[in-house]
């Protein structure tokens, strides 16, 4: 299993006004498969992804991702473990504005201690069709191009698992389709596991499996 999560709970907010966001999530994802995560706004999809990607700590339950036992790790361990194992693509691209496209992809590789970070970053940007935009800053790139940089950044370390949270949410339909094709193509090339949050039923059909969240839980399917 690439992901094995059992009875995961997450409560945020203040002590006086706690909000139960994840209320006992069970999810298993086989290595090398793709899963679409659907569900109404506020049902907890992004929160679940944050917990599975090691960006947020769960309050309870067990989480094993890419062979790591998250419960046994502190936040520093998690941050270190994420590098090279887990790639994350978000709706807002979160590129660093003061760095070029090449630097945005290369610097995380450098931090992860991966060999030849700039050569590798250039090759990955080439693979997403941005070989001619290496020295552009995010503000000089279109939304679709910025998302390509974010995809290159997420994939450059050949992660075993890719998380994507509405990666086409800020893009027009045609650009969005191209981005989805790119994510699936890069996933196939890396033989990675993919968990993708989407509101698009057509995209969900592209995935091996669809799971639906409701009110902090994953719907049981017959
Ligand atoms: N830091 C926080 N403190 C309190 N409540 C929070 C916090 N972050 C998220 N929530 C609440 O948790 C619930 C789930 O949020 P989440 O972002 O996971 O939903 P989602 O399914 O991704 O929705 P969307 O489709 O709109 O992106 C929401 O009701 C949200 O208001
Ligand atoms: Mg969300």
């Amino acid at each position: 299993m690439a992901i094995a999560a059992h009875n995961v709970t997450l409560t945020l907010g203040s002590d006086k006004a706690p909000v139960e966001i994840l209320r006992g999530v069970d999810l298993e994802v086989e290595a090398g498969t793709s899963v679409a995560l659907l569900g109404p706004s506020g049902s907890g999809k992004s929160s679940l992804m944050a917990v599975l990607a090691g960006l947020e700590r769960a309050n309870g339950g067990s989480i094993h991702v890419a062979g790591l036992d998250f419960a046994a790790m502190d936040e520093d361990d998690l941050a270190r473990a994420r590098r090279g194992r887990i790639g994350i693509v978000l709706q807002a691209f979160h590129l660093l504005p003061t760095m070029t496209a090449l630097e945005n992809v290369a610097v995380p590789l450098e931090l992860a201690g991966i060999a030849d970070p700039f050569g590798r970053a250039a090759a990955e940007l080439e693979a997403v069709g941005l070989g001619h935009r290496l020295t552009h800053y995010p503000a000089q790139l279109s939304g679709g191009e910025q998302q390509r940089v974010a995809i290159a950044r997420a994939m450059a370390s050949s992660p075993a698992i890719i998380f994507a949270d509405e990666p086409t949410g800020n893009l027009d339909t045609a650009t969005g389709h191209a981005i989805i094709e790119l994510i699936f193509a890069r996933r196939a090339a890396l033989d990675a596991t993919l968990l993708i949050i989407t509101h698009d039923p057509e995209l969900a059909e592209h995935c091996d499996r669809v799971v639906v969240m409701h009110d902090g839980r994953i719907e049981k399917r017959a």
Side-chain angles (χ1 to χ4, degrees):
M1 288 294 157
I3 299 173
H6 294 291
N7 201 22
V8 172
T9 55
L10 177 68
T11 304
L12 294 176
S14 61
D15 285 347
K16 271 193 186 149
V19 187
E20 277 194 310
I21 292 167
L22 301 178
R23 307 195 304 145
V25 171
D26 291 306
L27 177 66
E28 293 199 335
V29 179
E30 244 176 86
T33 63
S34 55
V35 173
L37 182 55
L38 273 69
S41 182
S43 57
K45 304 181 298 295
S46 295
S47 304
L48 176 60
M49 184 169 284
V51 161
L52 295 178
L55 299 170
E56 182 102 60
R57 286 190 73 82
N59 295 98
S62 70
I63 300 176
H64 291 82
V65 175
L68 303 167
D69 179 359
F70 279 16
M73 303 168 73
D74 66 24
E75 296 203 4
D76 289 344
D77 293 336
L78 275 177
R80 259 192 303 277
R82 266 203 312 274
R83 293 190 193 131
R85 285 200 181 82
I86 292 174
I88 304 168
V89 181
L90 300 169
Q91 180 174 346
F93 322 124
H94 294 295
L95 301 177
L96 292 168
T98 58
M99 288 190 192
T100 64
L102 183 65
E103 290 163 345
N104 264 283
V105 179
V107 168
L109 295 176
E110 207 167 26
L111 288 173
I114 288 169
D116 188 22
F118 283 84
R120 197 149 169 179
E124 192 63 37
L125 284 162
E126 191 83 45
V128 301
L130 285 182
H132 60 310
R133 292 284 184 271
L134 300 184
T135 59
H136 282 229
Y137 288 89
Q140 301 170 320
L141 298 169
S142 72
E145 287 171 339
Q146 290 182 57
Q147 191 61 307
R148 283 172 194 272
V149 176
I151 290 168
R153 181 182 56 187
M155 312 249 180
S157 61
S158 307
I161 305 185
I162 299 156
F163 292 101
D165 190 349
E166 298 188 51
T168 63
N170 280 331
L171 304 172
D172 64 70
T173 310
T175 308
H177 278 146
I179 289 293
I180 290 304
E181 272 179 33
L182 180 63
I183 289 175
F184 276 83
R186 297 305 295 151
R187 182 202 88 79
L190 297 171
D191 198 22
T193 306
L194 173 67
L195 182 67
I196 187 165
I197 297 176
T198 181
H199 287 285
D200 178 358
E202 201 181 311
L203 164 57
E205 289 300 312
H206 273 297
C207 295
D208 298 319
R209 193 152 68 93
V210 175
V211 298
V212 182
M213 277 196 90
H214 265 295
D215 206 11
R217 287 198 185 93
I218 286 177
E219 235 174 41
K220 294 271 179 270
R221 299 217 138 187

